[in-house]
Amino acid sequence: MFTIDDLADRLGGYLPLDEIQQVKRAFYYAEQAHDGQQRRSGEPYVTHPLAVANILANMHMDHQSLMAAMLHDVIEDTGVSKEALAKQFGEPVAELVDGVSKLTQITFEDKAVAQAENFQKMVLAMSRDIRVIIVKLADRLHNMRTLGALRPDKKRRIARETLEIYARIASRLGINTIRVELEDLSFHALHPMRSERIKRAVSKARGNRRSTIRQLQNSLQKCIDDDGLTGTVIGRQKHLLSIYRKMRDQRKSFAEIMDVFGFRIITDNVDSCYRILGAVHNLYKPVPGRFKDYIAIPKANGYQSLHTTLFGTRGMPIEVQIRTREMEAMANNGIAAHWLYKAGQTERPIAAGSHARAREWVRGLLEMQRHAGNSLEFIEHVKNDLFPDDIYVFTPKGDIMELPQGATVIDFAYSVHTDIGNSCIACRIDRHLAPLSTRLESGQTLEVITAPGGRPNTSWLSFVVTAKARSAIRHALKHQQHTESIQLGRRLLNKALADYDTSLEELPDGSLHHLLDELSLKNEDALLESIGLGTRLAHAIARQLVDAPREESAEGSLPVSQQGSIMISGTEGMVISFARCCHPLPGDPVIGHLSVGKGIVVHRTDCRNLDELRSDPEKLFALQWSQHIEDDFPVALRIEVESRRGLVAELASLVTDADANIERIGIEERDARLSIVNLTLAVRDRVHLARIIKRTRNLPHVGKISRVLN
């Protein structure tokens, strides 16, 4: 059984004696605090924190991290407070322990909410000290190693959470040794039979391939030695979940995956990496398009290496990774290499860079947390943000930006700055204008064009892939809807109050405050927002505010105030929308229908869909088009034509010449001679539409043209 003395001996290799004594003191404190407690396996509970500290010792973590590992369950599972820990071991250790501890004082109705809230708490602690997540990963690793004592359903739940969150965080921070073990342990817990079968097959395949591996390894080593280069060739093993995912996703057989031989070459410096690359390319022919230089452009988690694939003897594919010893340490320990180098008093740029990248990532998490509506939405953003495949694009100044696979221009704009994303209206990719939804590729240069009046569009949510962009867009849209709802609510309420010869500004303060208290609303903005969103009727609120009887409108008439109709221009934003059933255009007589959550929906006055609402005049509003309208509006046309070639091209050319856009076109055959063209156009107003219809009628073979209503 592993003891504290065994751990102290191990720590003697890199920590001074006084720090080792502090770690031992933390162990004895935890042993006393957990006295009488046992794990599900029946072992004394203190064996768990000791094992967690041992995992951190393998990563050469500092003494405060090791002390926090010893004490990480003390606040949660015993009567010891954070203040008591701070008094005994100092504020940094107490903060680390508190960051790892769950929110035990709060009772949550839902398990998912509890997990999300706990993760959110941990992110806040990570922002103050990144070591929190390293201690948590070590804690989770030991829990996964000892899952055997738990119920099968609990095993699966913990394994799924580990795969979705903690294994990905380990990958994001570059801690490959922990990531691989977490993934394989989770795979075994979720699919024990599949895991066991692949494990046996791998063991058998390695035995059969031993001589081939040795032959290839000797061949690569001889090639390096003959060129007078320094490097060590070691075999690279695939882990179980990686094999399973390739079999499932790429639909490959086990034999196809195991036919690829993997080797890693470790050398002294970066110059030797490129020299060795040239040597192995002379030995075996490289596979075109399979070379990646992660030394010049490191991955987001700080990983650096040269990757190449070679055609070996008899066409066997050989995957080779070439890196320095520091890069190897970085690949295995990630951000933990920062403390490994600090312990040796030789802070390396590679470790320091990893630490800076990790802090940048945590800052991004905090920004997402501020924008997220709740903890569940936040944790979904985090899951989406933890995929490691990246592309690399350039700013106009030549700076490199890392983005996930499939990222778009909008993702790039938000990665530069939230304000740039919010005001983005267009972009240039390699100096050419491109749509904002364009999927980016590595090596492209991007220039984002912004405008003061630019604002996010709801359609952006359908194609962005980064969590930062998604959360920032949702936050901006919520704020935009909130502001616009208040503005619309103020207009609607003032219009209703005009029936009583008053306005919101002229009301006595007491009547408004009394109504806010009666409706349990915080302030005037909350009341106006609810009116703008349609959850409260403006005329009912006006009646309550003036506390006076109101003259009823004649049946079916509209509540037209003395101030006249509400003016609309089409640029009000999210709280005024235009009905798709009748496609109202500037110049059409229009009417507004109050829809809960949407605000006012604009219809033509003759729209049949409003027939049921005409008996409730308080839900309808007389509207009037503004004199200054610059937006385009959709309109549907039905055109009867004689079937012939080139018809669609003629219509498209005509519409373009008339300064309009085709949004949708469809053709249905009535018979062999006649066809019906269903055309949806974007036009400015009725006059613009009339001009297009007149031109279309002049085309030969065009018969009846009608505007589609309802």
Side-chain angles (χ1 to χ4, degrees):
M1 182 177 168
F2 190 78
T3 66
I4 184 62
D5 292 328
D6 296 330
L7 177 65
D9 290 342
R10 178 169 293 177
L11 297 179
Y14 74 96
L15 285 182
L17 186 60
D18 62 320
E19 291 182 354
I20 296 172
Q21 291 301 327
Q22 290 181 58
V23 173
K24 291 176 77 171
R25 191 163 67 87
F27 168 78
Y28 294 127
Y29 188 93
E31 186 178 42
Q32 190 174 356
H34 290 295
D35 188 36
Q37 294 180 356
Q38 290 185 322
R39 303 203 82 208
R40 290 285 179 91
S41 60
E43 294 176 305
Y45 194 89
V46 77
T47 57
H48 168 62
L50 182 61
V52 173
N54 187 44
I55 292 169
L56 296 177
N58 291 337
M59 299 160 70
H60 284 202
M61 289 301 294
D62 64 312
H63 72 291
Q64 289 182 340
S65 302
L66 294 162
M67 291 165 72
M70 294 294 189
L71 302 163
H72 76 272
D73 280 330
V74 165
I75 293 177
E76 190 179 329
D77 295 339
T78 72
V80 178
S81 66
K82 178 186 171 184
E83 291 71 25
L85 283 184
K87 193 174 179 181
Q88 281 284 333
F89 302 103
E91 195 66 35
V93 173
E95 287 289 344
L96 283 172
V97 174
D98 184 57
V100 179
S101 300
K102 295 175 186 169
L103 301 171
T104 50
Q105 287 75 30
I106 306 171
T107 305
F108 297 99
E109 294 178 8
D110 187 356
K111 189 87 178 166
V113 174
Q115 289 173 328
E117 291 285 352
N118 284 325
F119 185 77
Q120 207 165 11
K121 174 179 179 284
M122 189 175 69
V123 167
L124 285 172
M126 282 163 58
S127 68
R128 293 189 292 269
D129 194 332
I130 197 72
R131 291 174 296 178
V132 166
I133 191 59
I134 300 177
V135 176
K136 183 62 184 176
L137 287 173
D139 172 43
R140 179 54 63 116
L141 178 58
H142 186 251
N143 283 333
M144 290 300 298
R145 286 174 179 174
T146 54
L147 270 186
L150 301 180
R151 297 192 316 268
D153 61 317
K154 196 169 183 181
K155 277 186 194 177
R156 286 192 294 272
R157 179 180 61 75
I158 293 172
R160 195 170 290 110
E161 182 187 68
T162 301
L163 267 184
E164 289 180 355
I165 299 291
Y166 293 102
R168 290 182 185 174
I169 289 176
S171 175
R172 194 69 176 74
L173 298 178
I175 311 175
N176 197 50
T177 48
I178 287 184
R179 175 189 67 84
V180 168
E181 192 172 353
L182 284 176
E183 287 184 347
D184 282 347
L185 290 169
S186 300
F187 177 45
H188 182 72
L190 288 168
H191 305 291
M193 292 179 67
R194 297 178 203 182
S195 170
E196 200 56 44
R197 286 189 66 181
I198 292 175
K199 191 175 181 179
R200 285 201 301 267
V202 167
S203 180
K204 184 178 177 182
R206 280 182 187 145
N208 295 337
R209 304 180 336 150
R210 194 166 289 138
S211 61
T212 307
I213 292 171
R214 194 179 300 114
Q215 182 184 343
L216 287 171
Q217 189 170 343
N218 291 339
S219 176
L220 289 168
Q221 188 68 61
K222 185 175 183 299
C223 164
I224 294 167
D225 295 341
D226 288 349
D227 279 24
L229 300 168
T230 304
T232 306
V233 181
I234 54 177
R236 186 168 55 86
Q237 297 180 353
K238 292 182 175 67
H239 65 287
L240 303 184
L241 183 62
S242 169
I243 294 170
Y244 173 69
R245 281 175 172 164
K246 284 184 179 177
M247 290 173 67
R248 184 192 62 192
D249 299 339
Q250 300 176 17
R251 299 189 177 279
K252 288 184 176 180
S253 67
F254 179 78
E256 285 178 292
I257 292 167
M258 294 306 288
D259 273 349
V260 179
F261 294 83
F263 295 94
R264 187 171 297 138
I265 301 174
I266 313 299
T267 185
D268 293 332
N269 52 56
V270 173
D271 183 56
S272 296
C273 290
Y274 290 99
R275 289 176 180 274
I276 289 171
L277 177 72
V280 297
H281 279 185
N282 279 333
L283 177 66
Y284 295 121
K285 188 179 178 183
V287 177
R290 295 296 301 273
F291 169 66
K292 291 187 176 68
D293 188 345
Y294 293 120
I295 292 179
I297 305 177
K299 286 189 176 184
N301 59 13
Y303 175 87
Q304 288 186 287
S305 185
L306 297 177
H307 287 198
T308 188
T309 303
L310 313 169
F311 287 113
T313 52
R314 298 188 299 278
M316 290 184 301
I318 306 169
E319 293 177 350
V320 179
Q321 298 174 354
I322 308 168
R323 62 182 72 143
T324 66
R325 287 182 175 80
E326 288 87 349
M327 292 171 190
E328 173 72 356
M330 184 67 214
N332 292 327
N333 297 308
I335 187 177
H338 174 80
W339 282 275
L340 187 151
Y341 290 126
K342 279 186 79 173
Q345 300 303 314
T346 54
E347 177 87 13
R348 307 288 181 96
I350 186 171
S354 164
H355 195 246
R357 272 187 287 268
R359 289 205 167 280
E360 187 63 36
W361 176 63
V362 173
R363 274 197 292 274
L365 288 183
L366 283 176
E367 189 173 343
M368 276 191 271
Q369 190 175 34
R370 284 194 296 272
H371 291 164
N374 55 49
S375 56
L376 287 174
E377 185 182 324
F378 168 65
I379 206 165
E380 279 307 308
H381 289 327
V382 173
K383 286 179 186 177
N384 293 335
D385 193 48
L386 288 174
F387 291 100
D389 295 328
D390 291 321
I391 59 170
Y392 300 91
V393 294
F394 297 89
T395 68
K397 292 182 178 178
D399 296 330
I400 298 171
M401 301 289 291
E402 298 160 313
L403 292 166
Q405 200 74 35
T408 63
V409 174
I410 296 296
D411 293 299
F412 170 80
Y414 277 102
S415 71
V416 175
H417 198 281
T418 303
D419 291 342
I420 291 177
N422 286 339
S423 57
C424 172
I425 57 166
C427 81
R428 289 189 181 91
I429 299 178
D430 295 332
R431 299 184 182 180
H432 299 291
L433 284 170
L436 294 177
S437 58
T438 304
R439 301 281 176 197
L440 302 177
E441 297 175 6
S442 283
Q444 291 177 326
T445 300
L446 275 78
E447 180 188 352
V448 176
I449 302 166
T450 61
R455 56 189 176 189
N457 193 310
T458 49
S459 64
W460 292 0
L461 291 170
S462 64
F463 56 76
V464 295
V465 299
T466 59
K468 180 179 180 181
R470 189 175 299 279
S471 62
I473 292 166
R474 283 180 176 161
H475 177 72
L477 290 174
K478 283 177 189 172
H479 178 72
Q480 183 180 323
Q481 186 181 41
H482 172 72
T483 306
E484 291 168 355
S485 299
I486 291 171
Q487 291 171 353
L488 178 62
R490 186 180 298 278
R491 291 169 66 188
L492 292 175
L493 186 55
N494 275 326
K495 181 177 180 300
L497 286 168
D499 290 345
Y500 303 103
D501 298 322
T502 187
S503 68
L504 196 56
E505 290 73 23
E506 294 169 2
L507 285 171
D509 290 340
S511 61
L512 183 60
H513 291 149
H514 176 72
L515 181 61
L516 292 175
D517 292 339
E518 191 178 315
L519 298 175
S520 301
L521 293 171
K522 289 186 291 186
N523 51 37
E524 181 184 330
D525 284 353
L527 175 66
L528 297 176
E529 183 181 14
S530 67
I531 295 170
L533 289 172
T535 53
R536 299 182 195 277
L537 294 175
H539 286 272
I541 296 297
R543 200 156 49 237
Q544 287 175 273
L545 282 170
V546 298
D547 196 24
R550 178 179 177 275
E551 292 182 16
E552 293 296 326
S553 305
E555 186 177 347
S557 67
L558 298 177
V560 182
S561 72
Q562 294 172 5
Q563 290 182 351
S565 307
I566 295 175
M567 300 292 287
I568 57 170
S569 63
T571 57
E572 288 82 2
M574 302 170 69
V575 290
I576 290 188
S577 55
F578 296 87
R580 295 181 180 179
C581 52
C582 56
H583 291 303
L585 290 177
D588 287 335
V590 286
I591 192 170
H593 156 233
L594 195 62
S595 175
V596 176
K598 291 184 179 178
I600 291 179
V601 182
V602 181
H603 293 259
R604 286 169 52 95
T605 52
D606 57 356
C607 181
R608 292 198 302 270
N609 288 346
L610 292 178
D611 290 347
E612 293 180 11
L613 296 169
R614 295 184 198 277
S615 59
D616 187 3
E618 287 189 349
K619 284 195 174 181
L620 296 174
F621 298 89
L623 303 176
Q624 188 177 334
W625 292 101
S626 168
Q627 296 297 315
H628 307 287
I629 296 174
E630 298 178 359
D631 210 355
D632 287 341
F633 298 82
V635 62
L637 296 179
R638 189 173 187 272
I639 309 172
E640 293 183 6
V641 294
E642 289 183 24
S643 301
R644 63 189 183 85
R645 286 185 179 179
L647 173 68
V648 173
E650 276 188 48
L651 284 172
S653 176
L654 183 146
V655 169
T656 304
D657 290 343
D659 198 22
N661 286 321
I662 296 177
E663 290 193 350
R664 193 178 295 111
I665 188 167
I667 300 177
E668 53 185 83
E669 259 190 39
R670 174 177 280 184
D671 52 44
R673 192 175 63 85
L674 274 181
S675 295
I676 306 294
V677 178
N678 295 308
L679 198 61
T680 303
L681 305 176
V683 298
R684 289 189 295 276
D685 50 31
R686 279 178 61 133
V687 176
H688 190 192
L689 175 64
R691 192 164 72 247
I692 293 169
I693 291 175
K694 185 177 179 181
R695 288 189 180 189
T696 308
R697 280 205 176 101
N698 291 334
L699 286 175
H701 312 292
V702 170
K704 184 180 177 183
I705 303 176
S706 56
R707 182 176 168 187
V708 179
L709 303 172
N710 296 99

